Amino acid sequence: MKLNRRRFILSSAAVGGGLLIGYSATRSSRHRRANDELVIGSERFTTSFIKIDEDNQITIFVPHSEMGQGIHTALSMMAADELDANWEYVNIEQAPAIDLFANGDLVKGFAGEFGVPSALMPLINVTAFPVAELMNLQITGGSSSVRYTGETAMRNAGAAAREMFLKAASTRWSVPEGELTTKLSYVHHNASGQSLSYGKLAIDAAKLEPPKSPSLKDRTQFNIMGKGLSRNDIPAKVDGSAKFGIDAHSSDMLYAAIKLAPVFGTKLVSADGKEALAQRGVKRVIELEDSYAVVADSYWRAKNALALVSARFEESENDYISSTDIEARFNKELTENDGSKDKEIGDADYELEKAADIIEANYRVPYLAHAAMEPMNCTVHIKGDTAEIWTSTQDALGTAGRVASVAGLPEDNITFHQTYCGGGFGRRVPLLNSNVIDHATLIAMEFDVPVKTIFSREDDMQQDHYRPAVHNNFKAAFDENNNVTAWHSRFTGPIQVPGASHIPYAIKNQSIRVVDGETHVPLGPWRSVDHTQQTFFTESFIDEIAHRAGVNPYQFRINLLQDHPRHRKVLEVAAEAAGYGENLQEGHALGIAVQESFGSFVAEIAEVSLNRNNQPVIHKVTCAVDCGWAVNPDTVEAQVESGIIFGLSAAIYGEITIENGRVAQGNFPDYEMVRMSTSPEIEVHIVESGEAPGGLGEPATPPIAAAVTNAIYILTGQRIRELPIKNHDFSFSTPLAKL
Amino acid sequence: MTTFKVNGIEHTLDIEPEMPLLWAIRDEIGLTGTKFGCGIASCGACTVHINGKAVRSCVTPVSAVEGQEITTIEGLAVNLGETNTSAPDLAAVQQAWIDHQIPQCGYCQSGMIMAVSSLLADNPRPSDAEIDAGITNICRCGSYPRVRKAIHALANA
């Protein structure tokens, strides 16, 4: 396979129109390039995502990382359905890391949703990223794959290929296209009884230019989409054959264990590796600007020898900063600064001044690590002026480009081996994964064999880019009749996803402002990004307002959601399914939360009780999700289950604290997870609104924390305004009288 | 020198006696289905069978397995001697993992399957409480509800 890379040269002034035109102008010729560069024998690409061989085997190339979200299967279903393909003979492959498969549609989608380039920033980093690089990304994130790559690229690719087969058959048989039909990878001419497989038409079809806007099916015509089909990546994940980045293996491989500066941003002063070098299997002790590494013939030997290096990192002003200092700073910011505008409606300050009553509450959440099951790792083999890399990443092209720039090699000389990702959750996007990619490359440059750099679990947890610690001060104003008249919110930033702090509720006066929340702790997107903390805040405080107003929290929300039918509908479906308002088991309570994120609407109702030790037990979560329509309903359910449990781990246990400038937690005992014994029953209801598909990787995560703490409030009378829940004591609590 | 069998094949390795079995299996023998997750026996991603019992290999030194029979995910079906005509290479637990569409990212699932296989060998019909006590592996993708369903389905098969 030739791996030619082409650069889209775009000035930053061309962002927007220029970027998009650039994409659409080059798109139609992509399949020709694919045919020039990527086929063997009689295989043909009809469009750049779809390859068909003479035996009618169809291969669909998916340009996204499979992290367990089922994206390889879902996107292939979208292309195959529009193609009228026979699903039994569809093969699914990871698209190679070449710019033929860069996700321009994703960029376009984000352009529409948020505006480029700020929209991609949460996925890339909060710092600047060269805009011209955007076209070369293959990012998987933002719950965006189905919404953008699927709805545009994959469906159009399938539909275009189908039209090309129709045209090829029409020419072959000299009959009008209108007399032809397609079914199960065949073209039929019913009048003459002739039929030909797509495979037999592939060589003719591939010579045609793909139509620019092929007609797409409406939902009643779907044969594959909407079915709960088995995922293609699962068989390899039950017999040990699935390869993750960490599984790259060769007999001459070396292994690196690394120690990065424990206080973020500091540099290495010196490292004495004499004792380490004397250990069995140790090849080198390498000093880098901000770290040192031991390279050995086994990871275990490298890791043990690393502990024998005596090293010193430079001192920094952050050496004495701890979580309590950060909290004090955030409180000071919120007290002394009015921050910058996020959203203003009406005049909340005026309403607060003349209010009959005001309630005020201070909320906060800690930093969180991603803790994907597969610790960060990267294998690099530098061979003269070429390099091969193996790593689990949410952005293959971006990672290949990063290695090229660190190693000083042309991008064309990098071969990237895509693997499954052992969890991503935002950790494996560019610049956030650069601490492992850059160091692995620098270390491998010292050798001519493959070197696998592995972060220990402690490195992974202590060298992350964290979900921000955030404080939020709320005030609500009430008039004489207990109606809420103003919503006043001040929180610490940064804002990574615009709009997460906004509420759908019809409160006439709203003032939402953000103050500075940056510290020396590096930040990044964490599954559902800002929605994770903001939904805990807003859905808790609206619950406080409901209780203050004396209306049950479900009815209170419904009353204020008259202009938001999709929010209302998922709340209604979840409430009915959970038996809200009916008699519950003695000592149980239901808590509610609802949030829109990434184009999907999710309501969750948690059923909670206290056990004999006064610890909350989450028995069941009932969830209703409106994701427009479901491409693969079984995957939708799996993602909802996954998102809830991910959010629950954070709500109950998740807490990264800073002591003397560094992360205090190192492994699972001090950063605990929901396990089998603490995992609730989960019931998922898919509400098909028929609207455009929404994302699913993230939207189930935001509501769960507030759903649980809202139930705990009913059980105990204690309003949890600080996560995690494990830090609270419920020994002395009084259940609330029923509303 | 340390000698033990992995999936029926005898390996004699010139390695330190304190090297954890996990790294001997992955780096020395080159079987990568067994995963590194935490290194302190907390997460269970490294679970293998020693003489049929689930063990966390990241804290098990090879000196402790001298002469023993190790089974990894790659050898599970063969070592159980299960013959499933529709999928001859899969043990019943593995087939159930496909039927219930359990793995998401899949990284923890080798260990999860080894743990469940061992649990069911000891206790073919575990209660929910016994499942909670017996399966303590971490899955960040949250496959727990499906794992529980699959265990009950296997128990009732």
Side-chain angles (χ1 to χ4, degrees):
Chain A
M1 189 189 286
K2 283 186 288 179
L3 291 172
N4 292 332
R5 291 180 52 88
R6 175 188 40 166
R7 278 304 213 161
F8 287 84
I9 307 298
L10 290 165
S11 71
S12 51
V15 171
L19 182 76
L20 306 182
I21 291 160
Y23 177 67
S24 49
T26 58
R27 178 159 115 182
S28 60
S29 61
R30 283 183 165 207
H31 80 293
R32 244 186 274 126
R33 286 191 50 228
N35 276 323
D36 288 346
E37 297 171 17
L38 302 175
V39 297
I40 300 162
S42 61
E43 299 169 338
R44 286 296 179 272
F45 276 87
T46 45
T47 68
S48 59
F49 293 110
I50 299 171
K51 190 175 79 173
I52 296 174
D53 73 15
E54 216 173 349
D55 297 330
N56 220 15
Q57 290 283 335
I58 295 174
T59 305
I60 298 175
F61 289 86
V62 179
H64 281 290
S65 303
E66 182 59 76
M67 304 181 279
Q69 76 282 45
I71 203 58
H72 283 185
T73 303
L75 290 190
S76 298
M77 287 169 72
M78 298 176 92
D81 200 333
E82 293 291 351
L83 178 58
D84 267 343
N86 185 341
W87 183 247
E88 276 189 50
Y89 301 107
V90 170
N91 308 303
I92 301 172
E93 280 196 28
Q94 173 76 51
I98 52 177
D99 60 10
L100 262 177
F101 301 102
N103 53 10
D105 280 306
L106 185 71
V107 174
K108 199 158 56 165
F110 275 114
E113 189 161 338
F114 298 130
V116 170
S118 66
L120 276 171
M121 286 308 145
L123 287 173
I124 299 162
N125 201 333
V126 282
T127 60
F129 193 80
V131 172
E133 300 286 312
L134 289 179
M135 285 303 290
N136 277 332
L137 295 175
Q138 273 183 330
I139 280 191
T140 304
S143 297
S144 61
S145 309
V146 161
R147 293 190 288 157
Y148 302 134
T149 309
E151 276 291 90
T152 52
M154 302 308 281
R155 288 186 67 184
N156 276 305
R162 178 179 165 274
E163 289 185 9
M164 290 156 77
F165 289 125
L166 285 171
K167 200 169 202 174
S170 142
T171 307
R172 180 86 69 94
W173 296 329
S174 303
V175 296
E177 272 179 61
E179 293 180 10
L180 301 175
T181 56
T182 54
K183 194 177 178 185
L184 296 172
S185 301
Y186 275 80
V187 182
H188 301 284
H189 184 235
N190 289 340
S192 65
Q194 298 182 91
S195 291
L196 267 178
S197 74
Y198 288 171
K200 301 288 182 212
L201 290 163
I203 288 179
D204 289 0
K207 291 175 187 150
L208 303 170
E209 194 70 11
K212 278 210 163 38
S213 39
S215 55
L216 301 181
K217 292 180 174 181
D218 67 50
R219 290 182 59 207
T220 59
Q221 298 169 299
F222 292 170
N223 295 313
I224 298 171
M225 288 186 269
K227 291 191 174 144
L229 298 182
S230 295
R231 275 171 35 213
N232 79 312
D233 57 316
I234 285 184
K237 291 175 175 175
V238 306
D239 65 9
S241 63
K243 294 294 179 215
F244 297 84
I246 203 169
D247 298 330
H249 187 79
S250 72
S251 53
D252 60 349
M253 177 173 278
L254 294 175
Y255 302 81
I258 187 166
K259 178 72 185 175
L260 285 95
V263 177
F264 305 109
T266 55
K267 297 196 180 343
L268 181 71
V269 176
S270 64
D272 177 357
K274 262 193 240 66
E275 201 183 342
L277 267 174
Q279 303 301 307
R280 179 175 171 185
V282 172
K283 306 292 180 193
R284 289 278 301 275
V285 175
I286 295 173
E287 291 181 42
L288 297 168
E289 198 183 357
D290 60 352
S291 56
Y292 56 92
V294 171
V295 179
D297 60 359
S298 107
Y299 175 69
W300 178 74
R301 289 182 184 130
K303 180 76 186 148
N304 281 351
L306 188 73
L308 301 174
V309 178
S310 68
R312 200 160 61 81
F313 290 93
E314 69 179 15
E315 290 180 10
S316 114
E317 56 180 10
N318 297 323
D319 286 0
Y320 305 100
I321 292 185
S322 292
S323 280
T324 46
D325 305 309
I326 293 172
E327 285 160 15
R329 218 205 86 199
F330 286 1
N331 287 336
K332 189 164 182 274
E333 286 285 344
L334 285 169
T335 313
E336 295 178 0
N337 294 322
D338 205 30
S340 53
K341 176 183 153 183
D342 181 358
K343 185 178 180 182
E344 299 274 355
I345 309 174
D347 191 340
D349 287 327
Y350 174 72
E351 290 296 330
L352 282 162
E353 270 171 38
K354 66 168 193 146
D357 191 19
I358 290 173
I359 60 172
E360 179 171 6
N362 288 303
Y363 280 81
R364 72 179 195 221
V365 294
Y367 294 108
L368 292 177
H370 294 80
M373 286 310 295
E374 180 188 3
M376 297 301 284
N377 65 86
C378 180
T379 301
V380 181
H381 187 187
I382 307 277
K383 295 179 284 188
D385 66 348
T386 66
E388 284 189 67
I389 45 178
W390 294 257
T391 192
S392 309
T393 176
Q394 290 176 243
D395 176 19
L397 272 173
T399 301
R402 185 80 189 186
V403 170
S405 79
V406 172
L409 297 174
E411 288 187 34
D412 287 353
N413 296 10
I414 309 288
T415 304
F416 183 90
H417 299 273
Q418 180 96 37
T419 62
Y420 288 122
C421 291
F425 316 123
R427 176 68 170 101
R428 292 190 148 93
V429 300
L431 298 195
L432 271 66
N433 65 7
S434 63
N435 61 359
V436 71
I437 304 296
D438 293 4
H439 290 101
T441 306
L442 291 168
I443 293 165
M445 286 168 70
E446 304 288 323
F447 299 89
D448 57 6
V449 295
V451 183
K452 174 155 62 179
T453 300
I454 302 176
F455 276 17
S456 66
R457 173 58 60 194
E458 289 78 10
D459 300 330
D460 188 274
M461 200 169 282
Q462 294 170 349
Q463 299 291 338
D464 201 345
H465 287 247
Y466 301 85
R467 195 286 304 273
V470 181
H471 289 204
N472 202 334
N473 170 273
F474 287 105
K475 293 188 189 99
F478 296 84
D479 65 16
E480 296 75 13
N481 302 317
N482 267 346
N483 295 311
V484 58
T485 55
W487 171 275
H488 189 275
S489 165
R490 297 287 182 273
F491 63 94
T492 56
I495 292 175
Q496 296 189 72
V497 169
S501 61
H502 303 176
I503 51 169
Y505 302 107
I507 299 175
K508 281 213 177 86
N509 302 281
Q510 298 180 20
S511 172
I512 305 171
R513 298 178 75 87
V514 58
V515 303
D516 179 33
E518 297 275 7
T519 67
H520 76 296
V521 180
L523 306 176
W526 184 97
R527 196 173 191 172
S528 82
V529 206
D530 296 13
H531 290 282
T532 163
Q533 70 268 15
Q534 288 296 343
T535 307
F536 168 63
F537 297 151
T538 59
E539 282 297 287
S540 294
F541 194 58
I542 203 74
D543 220 67
E544 293 201 45
I545 294 172
H547 284 281
R548 168 63 188 75
V551 182
N552 92 48
Y554 167 73
Q555 195 55 50
F556 186 82
R557 285 174 170 83
I558 293 286
N559 293 348
L560 292 185
L561 286 170
Q562 293 311 311
D563 297 332
H564 292 273
R566 296 179 76 185
H567 287 82
R568 222 172 52 228
K569 180 74 180 171
V570 290
L571 268 175
E572 287 165 356
V573 170
E576 169 147 18
Y580 192 91
E582 295 165 23
N583 283 334
L584 278 174
Q585 197 176 324
E586 182 71 24
H588 286 220
L590 298 181
I592 303 182
V594 62
Q595 178 77 344
E596 172 194 0
S597 65
F598 308 97
S600 291
F601 299 72
V602 180
E604 286 166 15
I605 299 188
E607 182 174 347
V608 183
S609 73
L610 293 185
N611 67 14
R612 263 173 290 171
N613 304 320
N614 289 311
Q615 296 298 311
V617 176
I618 296 103
H619 299 272
K620 183 174 178 181
V621 177
T622 306
C623 173
V625 53
D626 168 5
C627 55
W629 53 276
V631 174
N632 186 336
D634 189 55
T635 307
V636 170
E637 283 188 29
Q639 282 304 297
V640 169
E641 291 161 4
S642 175
I644 288 171
I645 289 168
F646 200 86
L648 203 51
S649 283
I652 301 173
Y653 308 109
E655 183 177 35
I656 291 291
T657 55
I658 305 299
E659 286 173 20
N660 297 325
R662 62 202 75 193
V663 169
Q665 292 72 22
N667 210 317
F668 292 123
D670 23 88
Y671 193 69
E672 184 54 295
M673 299 290 153
V674 166
R675 301 183 191 230
M676 197 66 110
S677 59
T678 39
S679 176
E681 179 189 349
I682 296 174
E683 186 178 303
V684 182
H685 296 267
I686 298 173
V687 176
E688 296 237 336
S689 63
E691 301 285 339
L696 276 159
E698 298 167 273
T701 298
I704 189 63
V708 170
T709 55
N710 289 341
I712 290 175
Y713 177 68
I714 296 169
L715 284 173
T716 66
Q718 275 176 247
R719 174 59 67 181
I720 294 182
R721 300 194 181 96
E722 294 171 11
L723 293 180
I725 297 166
K726 73 172 167 90
N727 293 349
H728 296 265
D729 179 1
F730 302 106
S731 306
F732 306 98
S733 53
T734 316
L736 231 59
K738 200 168 181 182
L739 273 178
Chain B
M1 288 291 181
T2 303
T3 301
F4 52 88
K5 276 191 180 175
V6 178
N7 302 331
I9 297 170
E10 189 166 284
H11 294 271
T12 298
L13 302 172
D14 174 18
I15 54 176
E16 299 86 328
E18 60 272 26
M19 182 184 279
L21 179 59
L22 169 69
W23 298 109
I25 290 169
R26 286 183 59 86
D27 292 356
E28 306 294 323
I29 297 172
L31 285 174
T32 57
T34 306
K35 303 303 190 207
F36 165 55
C38 69
I40 57 166
S42 175
C43 78
C46 66
T47 305
V48 298
H49 291 178
I50 300 176
N51 302 326
K53 297 278 180 217
V55 169
R56 295 198 170 166
S57 64
C58 71
V59 294
T60 306
V62 292
S63 60
V65 300
E66 180 72 39
Q68 314 273 308
E69 300 256 2
I70 316 296
T71 304
T72 69
I73 186 73
E74 291 93 341
L76 182 65
V78 175
N79 277 43
L80 289 180
E82 292 188 7
T83 45
N84 176 344
T85 43
S86 62
D89 299 330
L90 293 181
V93 177
Q94 293 168 308
Q95 184 61 50
W97 253 235
I98 295 175
D99 296 343
H100 291 264
Q101 294 282 294
I102 290 175
Q104 291 188 26
C105 91
Y107 191 81
C108 75
Q109 295 296 345
S110 296
M112 191 74 87
I113 288 168
M114 297 308 281
V116 169
S117 165
S118 175
L119 172 77
L120 288 171
D122 288 344
N123 179 359
R125 293 176 76 87
S127 65
D128 277 327
E130 287 166 338
I131 293 171
D132 289 346
I135 305 300
T136 57
N137 301 41
I138 296 177
C139 169
R140 280 294 270 155
C141 301
S143 61
Y144 308 116
R146 290 179 182 223
V147 169
R148 189 183 301 280
K149 273 183 206 151
I151 293 173
H152 287 310
L154 284 160
N156 293 317

